[in-house]
Amino acid sequence: MSEFDLKFTLILIILVFSICSIIFFLATLTKRIFKIKEDKKKKLFQIEIDKVLFGIMFDQDGGKHFTVHGKSTLFKKLMIKSLIGHHDNFSGISAVKMEEFFVKSGLVNYSLSKIRSRSWVDVVEGMRDLSSLNYKKAYLEILKISFEGNDIVHQEKLLARIRLNGLQELHEFKSSKVYFNDWTQSNIIFVVKKHRVPNDDLLPDLLYATNKSISLLAIRLIDYYQDLSQMEALREFKIITKNKKLQAEIDFLLKVKTLPQV
């Protein structure tokens, strides 16, 4: 290679590197500017959303604040997130008002469109919206959702079913080969606590499931609810079962409950 070719190659490398650096800088700057604008928009939207929520809670006209920005996707996302947050923190008539606004405002249609999406991320978000705001009409549609091999979708689908229809949704898994690992069980128990899911009278039946991960989940749920008759059923099951892991779990939970207070 001649000296000229070497210099030309070096200049070309420097030029390419410089162009790439400029492109990277501009892309980063553009992204940063977009993020600043979006954060500013979020703050403005949140002010309007707070006005809407105040109107809902105190029977005032919050709808006018919603209709101004209601067509914005970002506004819808933030509005639903705020509705769910308030719905989780309140019960009774206040929670019902959140649910009613979710439907009357048309936000429910936005969430329904997400569970019909081809994107599993949208589907998960939509199921969470609809079930958290207790839109029971979505139950059958959620039941039909199938993303082959996507464990996140399947787990969120079960959580949505439990939010909408209670713990009876677990009974169909008594003889299944679906394994409920500790992470899945923790998420189920978290949803039960957060959404105040009612106890299921038939919970002790799950103890005798052929699917032992369901039996383990039943033990933990019975311990959470502390229903006297179910706790007695748990003690009887401990005597009957030959499964050492289930016996150990029952022993551990019962001992924790009887530890002296310090």
Side-chain angles (χ1 to χ4, degrees):
M1 182 182 289
S2 67
E3 185 179 347
F4 174 78
D5 290 337
L6 187 61
K7 288 181 179 179
F8 177 77
T9 303
L10 185 60
I11 291 170
L12 188 61
I13 291 172
I14 295 172
L15 184 62
V16 170
F17 179 78
S18 299
I19 292 172
C20 289
S21 298
I22 292 170
I23 292 173
F24 178 76
F25 172 76
L26 291 174
T28 304
L29 183 62
T30 302
K31 187 177 180 180
R32 178 62 180 163
I33 291 171
F34 175 80
K35 184 70 169 59
I36 291 172
K37 286 183 177 179
E38 188 177 58
D39 288 344
K40 185 177 181 181
K41 188 181 290 186
K42 282 182 179 179
K43 289 178 181 178
L44 292 173
F45 279 168
Q46 194 60 54
I47 293 171
E48 297 302 308
I49 287 169
D50 289 343
K51 292 176 182 177
V52 174
L53 293 172
F54 183 86
I56 296 169
M57 293 292 291
F58 298 100
D59 296 317
Q60 297 179 12
D61 185 15
K64 64 182 180 182
H65 299 288
F66 175 77
T67 52
V68 174
H69 304 289
K71 292 182 180 180
S72 164
T73 299
L74 177 60
F75 185 83
K76 290 176 184 177
K77 283 179 177 286
L78 294 173
M79 185 75 241
I80 291 173
K81 183 179 179 181
S82 294
L83 280 174
I84 292 173
H86 278 69
H87 188 272
D88 289 346
N89 292 324
F90 292 92
S91 58
I93 189 63
S94 296
V96 171
K97 286 178 179 179
M98 299 295 161
E99 295 168 13
E100 289 176 345
F101 181 81
F102 180 57
V103 177
K104 289 179 181 178
S105 65
L107 286 169
V108 66
N109 296 322
Y110 172 61
S111 295
L112 285 169
S113 70
K114 284 193 282 188
I115 66 171
R116 296 161 188 161
S117 168
R118 292 184 179 181
S119 164
W120 70 266
V121 176
D122 287 340
V123 172
V124 166
E125 192 176 87
M127 287 193 292
R128 197 171 293 156
D129 292 350
L130 294 160
S131 59
S132 295
L133 288 166
N134 200 32
Y135 188 68
K136 294 186 181 297
K137 290 182 179 179
Y139 175 80
L140 291 178
E141 194 164 348
I142 289 173
L143 202 59
K144 295 174 185 176
I145 291 173
S146 177
F147 267 70
E148 194 68 32
N150 192 314
D151 292 339
I152 297 175
V153 173
H154 292 159
Q155 178 173 279
E156 192 59 44
K157 176 181 175 180
L158 177 58
L159 296 177
R161 290 170 59 184
I162 291 171
R163 289 188 196 101
L164 291 172
N165 209 34
L167 292 173
Q168 63 183 10
E169 295 297 305
L170 295 174
H171 289 274
E172 72 177 66
F173 297 96
K174 286 196 296 184
S175 302
S176 78
K177 293 182 180 180
V178 177
Y179 179 68
F180 287 66
N181 59 32
D182 284 340
W183 174 249
T184 299
Q185 294 201 20
S186 296
N187 281 320
I188 290 172
I189 293 170
F190 175 77
V191 163
V192 166
K193 292 178 179 179
K194 185 177 182 182
H195 294 273
R196 299 178 286 276
V197 177
N199 194 359
D200 176 20
D201 292 338
L202 299 178
L203 202 52
D205 290 353
L206 296 179
L207 294 170
Y208 299 90
T210 55
N211 182 340
K212 296 309 173 187
S213 66
I214 283 288
S215 302
L216 183 61
L217 176 58
I219 290 169
R220 291 167 174 170
L221 287 169
I222 288 172
D223 177 67
Y224 165 67
Y225 285 110
Q226 286 292 298
D227 178 87
L228 291 178
S229 63
Q230 291 184 354
M231 290 298 290
E232 184 58 35
L234 187 61
R235 292 184 178 91
E236 291 176 5
F237 174 73
K238 189 219 166 198
I239 297 171
I240 296 170
T241 185
K242 295 180 181 180
N243 188 297
K244 299 298 183 184
K245 182 177 180 179
L246 298 180
Q247 286 179 339
E249 183 73 15
I250 296 169
D251 280 339
F252 171 74
L253 293 173
L254 292 178
K255 285 176 183 176
V256 168
K257 288 292 181 292
T258 55
L259 283 176
Q261 297 295 318
V262 179

